[in-house]
Amino acid sequence: MMNAGFTEILASIMAALLVWAAIVDLRTRTIPDWVSIAAVVMAPMFWWSSGVAFYPDAVERICGAFLVFVVFFGMFSAGGMGGGDVKLGTAFALWFAPLATLQFFVVTSLAGGIVSVGAWIYHHKFRRLEGKTEVPYGVAIAFGGLWLLAQRFLNQFAGMSLGN
């Protein structure tokens, strides 16, 4: 790791951005573009401070993020999530190696199922509204992202599994 302190600062900022995105998404059902832009801008700094080589490691991260984009865009096209969710998930996927990105995707998907059921219950049972339920999927993305970031502290082998 090139600069462990700077790496942890970046990870902490990313964690704060994820929490902010979840809160805003819960309140407004939107995720501000600046959150995703900040995550994209910070990703190369995170790579550098973690000692990630451009080739093949950073290229793998870019490819992994592209795959997340393709899957999330498909969900967006089907009406299953919003554009801000696609941007945030893709931006966060830039941060980690393919295996960790896969873990992020799985945890986010599981959390998304729980958030979707909760949103449906709140929308139809508590508020007794009709029509399509808007799901704050940014909450699930934040959960998956925070889970992955926490692995750096909770799992003694996280440095190996996260590729940094």
Side-chain angles (χ1 to χ4, degrees):
M1 203 175 291
M2 299 288 288
N3 187 335
F6 187 59
T7 301
E8 299 312 321
I9 289 170
L10 290 170
S12 298
I13 292 170
M14 187 65 221
L17 287 173
L18 288 169
V19 169
W20 175 257
I23 291 169
V24 171
D25 199 21
L26 270 173
R27 290 182 178 171
T28 67
R29 298 300 189 265
T30 61
I31 298 173
D33 286 341
W34 68 264
V35 175
S36 299
I37 292 168
V40 169
V41 169
M42 290 188 324
M45 291 187 278
F46 185 76
W47 301 339
W48 171 81
S49 68
S50 299
V52 172
F54 178 75
Y55 186 82
D57 300 327
V59 172
E60 288 176 347
R61 286 164 163 74
I62 293 167
C63 291
F66 179 73
L67 289 175
V68 168
F69 170 77
V70 168
V71 172
F72 279 13
F73 185 77
M75 293 172 61
F76 168 77
S77 297
M81 68 172 29
D85 303 321
V86 175
K87 291 180 270 189
L88 182 61
T90 302
F92 186 77
L94 283 170
W95 283 56
F96 294 102
L99 179 59
T101 299
L102 179 62
Q103 293 170 350
F104 162 70
F105 184 76
V106 169
V107 171
T108 298
S109 296
L110 293 171
I114 294 168
V115 170
S116 296
V117 169
W120 185 88
I121 290 170
Y122 176 75
H123 185 85
H124 292 285
K125 300 299 178 188
F126 289 111
R127 298 198 59 212
R128 301 208 185 275
L129 299 173
E130 296 296 322
K132 184 178 175 187
T133 303
E134 288 189 24
V135 177
Y137 205 79
V139 174
I141 294 168
F143 182 83
L146 292 170
W147 177 85
L148 190 58
L149 287 170
Q151 297 307 304
R152 300 171 57 81
F153 303 105
L154 302 176
N155 183 350
Q156 64 179 338
F157 302 109
M160 290 183 278
S161 69
L162 298 179
N164 39 341

